[in-house]
Amino acid sequence: AALLAKTFYDLETKAITTEYHKSVDDQITSIEREITYKFEALYAIKGLFDSSENVSAEEFYAITTQILARHRNIQALEWIPKVKKEQRAIFEARRQQHYPEFQIIERKQQGQMVSAAVRDEYFPVYYVEPLSGNEAAFGFDLASSSKRLHALNLSRRSGKLVATSSITLV
């Protein structure tokens, strides 16, 4: 009877272990698929910018709304250009033609945004879709966050996609 109990125990343990490994493999596959879909969305936007010298807000809106319709779990898609200190006023004035309140901003403290300090270069959220629900990110300078700036510089040097943790602005 003890041998039968041990055999049953061993079989049940093996079945549980096999099921556990299958569940982990399924979750990994699901995560990999989700990441691949999101990267494909980014490559589609990259293609737009690679094929045009000046992507308009309308063009950005057209491609991102299509992507967001297919990928409902993406909160927002943004374009973040590199803006030299000398170009700041021009970039702000261009966006202010449609959004008079636009300016390059940074977080002074949790929930409090102010005009970005003078720097050699900025990485502001220039286009964001959807804007509704993401207003706090509009104009936010990623160069004002050391973690974001490090990731941007790493991506620029390596030419590869770089991910960072999420950021809570407000």
Side-chain angles (χ1 to χ4, degrees):
L3 182 61
L4 183 60
K6 170 83 169 104
T7 302
F8 180 71
Y9 174 80
D10 289 346
L11 287 172
E12 191 62 24
T13 301
K14 185 176 179 179
I16 290 170
T17 303
T18 301
E19 184 62 30
Y20 171 77
H21 286 291
K22 183 183 178 324
S23 175
V24 169
D25 288 345
D26 288 348
Q27 289 178 5
I28 290 171
T29 300
S30 177
I31 291 168
E32 287 174 340
R33 185 174 47 247
E34 223 21 70
I35 290 170
T36 299
Y37 288 151
K38 288 187 170 103
F39 282 170
E40 286 175 8
L42 295 178
Y43 284 122
I45 295 170
K46 180 184 182 302
L48 172 67
F49 282 91
D50 286 348
S51 65
S52 177
E53 191 119 340
N54 282 314
V55 174
S56 70
E58 292 77 19
E59 291 170 311
F60 185 79
Y61 174 80
I63 194 166
T64 56
T65 52
Q66 291 175 19
I67 292 168
L68 291 168
R70 290 190 311 272
H71 301 278
R72 298 193 189 282
N73 57 351
I74 295 177
Q75 179 180 335
L77 294 167
E78 303 166 344
W79 178 55
I80 301 158
K82 178 175 81 170
V83 177
K84 296 283 189 188
K85 176 173 49 176
E86 308 78 45
Q87 301 170 312
R88 179 179 179 170
I90 295 166
F91 267 76
E92 286 179 328
R94 199 175 298 146
R95 275 319 261 153
Q96 287 169 355
Q97 291 175 0
H98 293 98
Y99 298 96
E101 73 286 352
F102 179 84
Q103 63 176 316
I104 299 175
I105 56 175
E106 63 186 26
R107 185 173 65 181
K108 183 175 181 182
Q109 53 186 301
Q110 191 66 30
Q112 186 179 13
M113 300 299 229
V114 296
S115 183
V118 175
R119 286 186 262 292
D120 288 338
E121 59 186 15
Y122 306 88
F123 293 93
V125 175
Y126 201 69
Y127 296 150
V128 58
E129 287 300 333
L131 179 57
S132 178
N134 295 296
E135 295 88 351
F138 192 45
F140 179 70
D141 178 22
L142 275 69
S144 68
S145 164
S146 60
K147 288 181 183 178
R148 283 356 176 237
L149 182 58
H150 174 73
L152 286 166
N153 287 329
L154 178 62
S155 179
R156 187 168 43 177
R157 281 192 309 272
S158 69
K160 297 182 179 177
L161 294 173
V162 175
T164 64
S165 60
S166 63
I167 184 169
T168 303
L169 298 176
V170 186

